[in-house]
Structure formats: structure tokens, C-alpha cells
Amino acid sequence: MTKLQIRALIFQLLSFGSIFIGLQLILKSYSHLSGMWLMFTAFVAGTLLAPQFQAVKTNDGEHIFMRWIFMKGFRKIK
């Protein structure tokens, strides 16, 4: 794995983790879910809402691109 692929993986994990923990706290406070259902619901929602990062080799070199459900198209990160 290249340096940018590792960086994209770290971005992916941090974005998913922060959304997952936030959703878990919100669901715990405002819903009657508990145990496995709380975690499962936060996991599915976090998977759908988290941005996707990917390292791609282009003619200009290797770059990290981000795709998110709330944005149209791709955004070049680095």
C-alpha cells in the first residue's frame, strides 16, 4: 500500500468512526433502542452517511478523491 492509500484509509476510518459514535449517542438519547439494535442502526446509518475516500493514480500522479452523499461528483483532496 502506498502512503496516499494509507492516508485515504485513515480518513475513511476517522470519518466513519466520528459519525458512528455521534449517531450512537444521539440514538441512545432520543430512541428506545438498546443493545445490538442500537449498534446496528448506528453502523448502517454511519456507513451510508460517511464520506468515501480513495487513492487513485492519474496522469498527474496519485491523488486522494472524496465522494459524499451530500456533494455532487468527486472532490480532489490531495
Side-chain angles (χ1 to χ4, degrees):
M1 290 183 80
T2 64
K3 183 178 178 180
L4 286 180
Q5 287 176 334
I6 293 171
R7 188 175 291 173
L9 179 65
I10 290 171
F11 287 161
Q12 183 83 22
L13 290 174
L14 288 175
S15 64
F16 171 76
S18 62
I19 291 174
F20 174 75
I21 291 172
L23 284 172
Q24 189 176 1
L25 293 173
I26 290 170
L27 288 172
K28 192 174 190 178
S29 298
Y30 296 110
S31 73
H32 298 289
L33 295 174
S34 64
M36 185 181 74
W37 290 108
L38 176 70
M39 301 289 245
F40 181 72
T41 305
F43 172 77
V44 171
T47 302
L48 294 174
L49 295 176
Q52 305 294 314
F53 295 91
Q54 187 171 12
V56 177
K57 291 182 182 178
T58 62
N59 292 337
D60 298 332
E62 193 171 18
H63 300 286
I64 296 177
F65 289 94
M66 179 185 78
R67 182 177 58 115
W68 200 18
I69 192 170
F70 301 115
M71 286 181 7
K72 188 174 182 179
F74 298 97
R75 179 170 289 174
K76 182 176 162 186
I77 302 295
K78 183 170 186 207

